[in-house]
Amino acid sequence: MILPMKELVLRYMEEVDQATASSADEVEKFRIKFLGKKGILNELFAEFNNIPPSEKRELGFLLNQLKEKVQQKVEQFRSILEMSKPFQKLDDLTFSADFYPMGSRHPLSIVERRIIDIFARIGFTIAEGPEIEDDWHNFSALNFTPDHPARDMQDTFFIEKRADGNDVLLRTHTSSVQVRIMEKTKPPIRMIFPGRVFRNEAISARAHCIFHQVEGLYVDTNVSFVDLKQTLLYFAREMYGESTRIRFRPSYFPFTEPSAEMDISCPLCKGEGCNICKHTGWIEILGCGMVDPAVLENCDIHSETYTGFAFGLGIERITMGLYQIKDLRLFFENDTRFLHQFKAAF
Ligand code: DAH
């Protein structure tokens, strides 16, 4: 009987789960069986070309999972063999027979590290700021007018109301770190600020009261919108692949002028239109703009000498796009069945 491919892959997964090996030879046999030139995985990947497109996404995912499973198993076999060597010789009866399962990195950490790594390659360094902020760093220095709706109790978690108006609050964005850095650092500044932010939102599949952002800031002489575009194009291509296109839509943020939102061409359908990009071919990934001169002046940076650009992106949104995760709450529930599916490249 010829099994449908999905079933076959699932059976192989089970076989891999149950496989044992007690010598280097056996490990090698197992490896060749699955990963060898004429091994099972190569055969399956060859067959993958013949299956109908509608099944490709699910099967592709399963095939990659199987491959990772086999690679992990081989590594596990090898480290068990390696670890048991000297102890066998020494006949150490106190040696534990149990191997603790390895943890895995949280998907948000995986994506945050990737983002940091991409910007580090073009000279951005990292800094962090406090999660408990004051009104000045989170709002006033960033040009939010006193009556701006973001200052409303409905959007911001306030910790303490102060008579002088410099209320204590949980930061609503990582843009606050821009201010902290610019207050104490002279340009050139080329930095990113990853971190956790808080907003008074009802929890749903698409929103949470805690989430994560990465903020970017570049201040120097002669920084222009061209630098902003080139930097973000580099980021988009490193993150989503060489053929990725970007587009900017005019927008408004109090702390940048001009401001824009950046979309990338949908990595799944390459811009043709699919469910993920709601048939537009584009996906919004960040907000950005040229730092408003008033913000530079608030931080004692001379706005006629220096210009800068800034951007802010949401890690949850990017992670959901990359892994096709439909419900944001999964990130915070710590269900290991969910978390174990993600493998870090570094
Ligand atoms: N702080 C904004 C937010 O939380 C994101 C953002 C937009 C940051 C534009 C920026 C920027 O630095 O230039 O929605």
Side-chain angles (χ1 to χ4, degrees), residues 78-90:
R78 286 184 178 152
S79 65
I80 290 176
L81 282 176
E82 196 49 44
M83 284 171 79
S84 50
K85 258 190 216 157
F87 290 101
Q88 270 169 359
K89 263 190 222 144
L90 291 171

Side-chain angles (χ1 to χ4, degrees), residues 58-268:
E58 189 190 4
L59 259 174
F61 181 73
L62 282 173
L63 269 181
N64 282 325
Q65 261 193 334
L66 175 63
K67 188 170 175 191
E68 270 178 355
K69 231 181 209 313
V70 174
Q71 284 165 337
Q72 277 178 356
K73 197 80 181 184
V74 171
E75 267 170 45
Q76 190 192 355
F77 283 154
R78 286 184 178 152
S79 65
I80 290 176
L81 282 176
E82 196 49 44
M83 284 171 79
S84 50
K85 258 190 216 157
F87 290 101
Q88 270 169 359
K89 263 190 222 144
L90 291 171
D91 226 359
D92 186 345
L93 298 178
T94 64
F95 185 60
S96 163
D98 295 331
F99 289 91
Y100 292 105
M102 288 275 280
S104 55
R105 235 186 260 295
H106 194 283
L108 295 177
S109 305
I110 295 175
V111 172
E112 184 182 285
R113 283 165 156 252
R114 265 188 72 190
I115 296 169
I116 291 170
D117 181 61
I118 292 170
F119 284 107
R121 275 183 254 147
I122 49 172
F124 282 75
T125 54
I126 302 189
E128 286 182 320
E131 291 176 352
I132 298 177
E133 258 303 356
D134 55 19
D135 180 284
W136 170 253
H137 293 94
N138 196 77
F139 291 130
S140 296
L142 288 167
N143 235 5
F144 283 79
T145 49
D147 56 352
H148 194 281
R151 291 170 179 256
D152 200 296
M153 293 278 281
Q154 300 206 315
D155 295 299
T156 305
F157 289 114
F158 287 95
I159 294 177
E160 195 189 330
K161 287 269 174 200
R162 290 256 171 95
D164 61 4
N166 197 19
D167 301 336
V168 184
L169 44 87
L170 292 180
R171 66 178 175 194
T172 58
H173 53 183
T174 43
S175 305
S176 55
V177 193
Q178 281 188 35
V179 180
R180 290 208 169 258
I181 293 295
M182 286 195 285
E183 279 176 341
K184 60 170 204 233
T185 317
K186 272 200 171 318
I189 299 170
R190 187 162 44 184
M191 297 180 94
I192 50 170
F193 317 119
R196 194 155 58 151
V197 301
F198 307 84
R199 279 185 210 171
N200 195 356
E201 301 236 16
I203 296 172
S204 72
R206 314 231 97 240
H208 208 287
C209 52
I210 303 176
F211 55 101
H212 299 77
Q213 294 185 329
V214 175
E215 185 85 10
L217 178 69
Y218 190 156
V219 183
D220 203 348
T221 49
N222 298 317
V223 177
S224 73
F225 206 91
V226 176
D227 301 302
L228 165 68
K229 277 172 125 173
Q230 196 58 38
T231 304
L232 295 177
L233 178 63
Y234 172 78
F235 166 70
R237 294 200 162 154
E238 289 295 300
M239 195 75 190
Y240 295 99
E242 255 322 288
S243 59
T244 308
R245 287 168 297 135
I246 57 173
R247 76 172 183 189
F248 291 84
R249 283 174 293 106
S251 184
Y252 174 78
F253 300 101
F255 40 91
T256 43
E257 182 59 39
S259 306
E261 266 154 330
M262 187 178 94
D263 299 339
I264 52 159
S265 51
C266 178
L268 276 180

